[in-house]
Amino acid sequence: MSERATPEATDESSAEQADGTADAPTETTATADQTPEERAADRPVTTGAESVIRALENAGAEAAFGVQGGAIMPVYDALYHSDSIRHVTMAHEQGAAHAADAYGVVAGVPGVCLATSGPGATNLVTGIADADMDSDAMLALTGQVPSDMVGSDAFQETDTTGVTAPITKHNYFADDPDTAGDMVGEAFALSEAGRPGPTLVDLPKNATLGETDREPGPATTPKNYNPETEATAEAVDAAARAIESADKPLLLFGGGVVKGDATETARQFAVDHGIPVATTMPAIGSMPEDHDLCLSWAGMHGTGYANMAITHTDCLIAVGCRFDDRLTGGVDTFAPEAEVVHVDIDPAEISKNVHADYPLIGDAGTVLEQVDAELAHSPDATEWREQCRQWKEDYPMDYATPEDEPLKPQFVVECLDAATGDDAIVTTGVGQHQMWAGQYWTFREPRTWVSSHGLGTMGYGLPAAIGARLAADDDQEVVCIDGDGSFLMTMQELSVAVREELDITVAVLNNEYIGMVRQWQDAFFERRRMAAEYNWVPEFDKLAEAFGARGWRVDEYDQVADAIEEAVAYDGPSVIDFHVDPETNVYPMVASGGANGQFALTEDQL
Ligand SMILES: Cc1ncc(C[n+]2csc(CCOP(=O)(O)OP(=O)(O)O)c2C)c(N)n1
């Protein structure tokens, strides 16, 4: 049965009759600078859908990303009247979810995405799961078939709350027009409270089309959601004594430092007490990577010096991190000499993967201030700092550029970094290029590294750049460093960047392989490169032009700087297709489940 001949079409036409505002838009719109009372007076709520949009406006949402469709049409129709929310129509709902996620990462407030029921909602799933793994604040609104048809296998019916329950912080089925707006407000507030995460509100059409005159209240978290913000005095006291007496203290900043807006406090703590800092990947930028105390990020492809520091520290002070296996390698060999102080707002993280000798449950910045106030003196770490400095010299992040070998991807990353400002935002796909971007770009600011960590979603980079662009300051550059395989997964979003005139530079590190897979095949599958060679990739520069963007192809070292200069200067979306050495591998590398201190610098060391 074709989509036109389905019950949905009938439903859509009756929707217009049921929703009296649908075909009679007024000139009154809700703007960002109005108070909730002014909005209500200007344009009182008459339907559930209007209450949903009013709830978003009152919560301060300024952007939303989505794709239209039958069951979500009433919500879109209500959005028509909002001047304070900029909606960006994406090419695919996965793109909408990634854009909303990245918007949230950069702006520090939840990003919003919308999709219709059925395939619209299921297309969001990867993006929701991605946000969940990285504890990113995001609100998804999905249309649903009318509640009296739920369970009847109605057209485009999917059990969206069922499908997304394991990958959301919380989800809601809002089937009452009177309370739909309040639920949306609560979901928005909950997504950014405590440990952030994605929330979802499923909105059956009867609730969005249904009449109500109820103005939603302010966005507030559920009454029973009260995460601890301060650690107990006893716990702080014990942790402070352990830190004071450490000879080799090491701070490990996790994503919670960035998400908890604790960067300034955490940096100050490190500097005041002379404690070296390693970060996790999600925390890249929490400590300026050119700071003396900063060892950059640790883990599978982290720096040798960060991994050596983790291996030898006697007191690991981990803040807002979940000890993911790409960070720890084998947990038995992780930080083997250390007592572990673990600060986290989510008690479920304490001793989940790595035993915490000193658990401190609370907000990252608040707890660090508590510990700071309790420390009688800083640890005596002069020799340890010297040792860490020595490791930086012993295991530098470098690479060779032999003249008889093709362009090296690391060189491209360094040139992009040099050509952009210190606060430029980098988004990535997933694979080798993501690791080189993390390794060879010097990050100095939080919320400038926007990547898919826990889920490792190829295709994240371009839609993330779109979301990041909307959240960034006008003078902040946004660069997407992508792989050819990752770019091919979501490159249709280039049409959105062109339509919305977004200033984004996409740098494809094109090795005509899904390179990270090729690297693992070479190392662990006796070089059988099954299904990893992508020598059929299209000409990305020409595709960019076909989309209405600008495109360049670069093969040689002496073309790199000019292409970057032109692309960055171009005020719109641009794509540089860098043809890089297909055989380059990512090092250092800690083998899966291995010990951080035993990182390989070449394949035969694995
Ligand atoms: C959606 C998805 N499918 C498959 C994978 C498995 N995977 C991880 S890295 C990688 C290779 C990525 O290739 P590309 O984007 O070209 O980047 P490169 O490694 O070559 O830099 C693959 C296939 C994944 N992470 N995500």
Side-chain angles (χ1 to χ4, degrees):
M1 193 187 277
S2 81
E3 187 159 327
R4 273 192 208 118
T6 62
E8 185 199 30
T10 318
D11 214 20
E12 276 158 23
S13 38
S14 65
E16 279 166 31
Q17 290 153 24
D19 179 355
T21 61
D23 52 3
T26 70
E27 284 175 16
T28 317
T29 52
T31 60
D33 49 8
Q34 282 180 312
T35 64
E37 292 73 27
E38 285 167 343
R39 280 190 203 110
D42 251 17
R43 186 176 182 82
V45 160
T46 64
T47 64
E50 287 174 8
S51 78
V52 164
I53 298 304
R54 180 57 43 82
L56 291 180
E57 289 168 346
N58 291 349
E62 291 178 5
F65 307 85
V67 178
Q68 264 276 24
I72 196 74
M73 283 181 75
V75 177
Y76 268 95
D77 192 56
L79 190 54
Y80 180 90
H81 300 290
S82 177
D83 256 7
S84 60
I85 301 173
R86 174 176 177 185
H87 178 266
V88 177
T89 302
M90 302 295 289
H92 189 289
E93 291 86 354
Q94 182 186 348
H98 292 326
D101 174 309
Y103 178 92
V105 172
V106 174
V109 295
V112 178
C113 57
L114 294 97
T116 194
S117 61
T122 56
N123 275 350
L124 287 181
V125 164
T126 299
I128 296 171
D130 192 290
D132 192 52
M133 288 289 269
D134 284 352
S135 303
D136 290 339
M138 181 175 96
L139 168 63
L141 301 179
T142 48
Q144 185 54 280
V145 302
S147 21
D148 62 357
M149 293 175 78
V150 166
S152 72
D153 295 337
F155 179 67
Q156 296 191 327
E157 181 190 354
T158 291
D159 177 4
T160 304
T161 52
V163 168
T164 60
I167 52 167
T168 47
K169 183 170 171 181
H170 191 54
N171 69 21
Y172 302 74
F173 186 71
D175 63 347
D176 181 348
D178 286 339
T179 54
D182 285 322
M183 275 193 187
V184 167
E186 181 177 300
F188 189 98
L190 184 63
S191 78
E192 65 178 336
R195 177 183 183 167
T199 55
L200 178 144
V201 185
D202 200 29
L203 295 156
K205 220 165 170 179
N206 54 303
T208 49
L209 289 173
E211 289 182 6
T212 181
D213 58 1
R214 191 166 145 177
E215 288 289 332
T220 46
T221 52
K223 282 198 186 66
N224 57 354
Y225 183 77
N226 296 303
E228 297 289 346
T229 53
E230 280 188 25
T232 64
E234 300 75 42
V236 172
D237 176 62
R241 301 294 82 80
I243 295 168
E244 278 166 8
S245 56
D247 294 323
K248 299 185 276 183
L250 178 69
L251 279 157
L252 177 63
F253 292 171
V257 170
V258 178
K259 289 175 181 122
D261 286 324
T263 303
E264 284 314 314
T265 310
R267 289 178 177 186
Q268 203 58 53
F269 187 92
V271 170
D272 287 351
H273 300 293
I275 303 177
V277 179
T279 74
T280 66
M281 280 196 87
I284 286 176
S286 56
M287 189 74 184
E289 292 192 307
D290 51 0
H291 193 286
D292 217 28
L293 286 171
C294 188
L295 303 170
S296 295
W297 51 281
M300 181 174 277
H301 291 299
T303 62
Y305 32 98
N307 282 324
M308 288 302 278
I310 283 185
T311 305
H312 293 283
T313 175
D314 63 356
C315 181
L316 182 69
I317 310 153
V319 189
C321 87
R322 63 185 177 87
F323 294 110
D324 153 84
D325 56 273
R326 285 294 192 265
L327 167 74
T328 60
V331 281
D332 295 345
T333 48
F334 180 73
E337 297 170 21
E339 288 199 301
V340 175
V341 178
H342 188 184
V343 180
D344 208 289
I345 197 153
D346 185 353
E349 287 303 334
I350 301 297
S351 297
K352 183 184 85 178
N353 292 334
V354 167
H355 175 73
D357 300 289
Y358 301 97
L360 294 172
I361 297 163
D363 168 72
T366 309
V367 173
L368 283 177
E369 280 168 9
Q370 286 180 281
V371 175
D372 180 57
E374 187 57 37
L375 282 174
H377 58 84
S378 301
D380 181 5
T382 316
E383 277 179 39
W384 170 241
R385 282 194 296 275
E386 190 42 46
Q387 172 64 78
C388 290
R389 231 173 263 132
Q390 187 60 47
W391 281 324
K392 280 194 189 184
E393 272 179 38
D394 294 347
Y395 306 107
M397 291 300 298
D398 58 12
Y399 58 96
T401 53
E403 270 175 29
D404 56 348
E405 289 184 16
L407 179 62
K408 297 293 174 184
Q410 302 97 320
F411 178 82
V412 174
V413 172
E414 286 186 332
C415 290
L416 284 160
D417 186 9
T420 50
D422 281 357
D423 61 352
I425 293 169
V426 176
T427 73
T428 74
V430 166
Q432 292 180 310
H433 64 278
Q434 175 190 28
M435 299 302 138
W436 291 317
Q439 289 176 333
Y440 288 95
W441 191 290
T442 304
F443 290 89
R444 296 174 178 85
E445 301 293 338
R447 302 188 185 281
T448 58
W449 165 254
V450 186
S451 194
S452 169
H453 309 101
L455 199 66
T457 311
M458 289 170 71
Y460 180 83
L462 177 58
I466 291 173
R469 179 70 275 165
L470 259 77
D473 294 339
D474 286 348
D475 57 359
Q476 255 180 311
E477 286 125 338
V478 176
V479 178
C480 168
I481 298 180
D482 226 341
D484 43 298
S486 292
F487 189 51
L488 277 172
M489 288 206 177
T490 54
M491 71 168 300
Q492 69 275 20
E493 303 301 344
L494 208 48
S495 65
V496 178
V498 171
R499 189 192 63 228
E500 300 285 328
E501 300 179 354
L502 301 179
D503 189 7
I504 290 167
T505 306
V506 180
V508 184
L509 303 186
N510 184 352
N511 49 18
E512 299 195 4
Y513 275 104
I514 44 174
M516 189 58 97
V517 170
R518 196 271 306 143
Q519 177 170 345
W520 280 53
Q521 287 171 326
D522 288 359
F524 308 119
F525 293 88
E526 298 171 328
R527 312 194 104 72
R528 287 185 294 276
R529 295 178 169 186
M530 174 69 190
E533 200 167 1
Y534 274 32
N535 54 9
W536 40 263
V537 291
E539 293 174 77
F540 292 125
D541 54 329
K542 295 196 177 139
L543 265 178
E545 300 277 351
F547 272 104
R550 295 279 320 272
W552 292 262
R553 177 188 167 123
V554 168
D555 298 83
E556 307 293 339
Y557 282 101
D558 61 8
Q559 300 169 321
V560 173
D562 286 352
I564 290 176
E565 193 186 332
E566 286 174 35
V568 170
Y570 176 61
D571 188 15
S574 52
V575 176
I576 316 176
D577 187 9
F578 290 102
H579 284 250
V580 296
D581 182 4
E583 301 297 325
T584 305
N585 286 342
V586 183
Y587 293 109
M589 178 171 183
V590 178
S592 201
N596 290 65
Q598 287 165 17
F599 46 87
L601 298 172
T602 57
E603 190 178 292
D604 50 19
Q605 292 174 0
L606 278 166

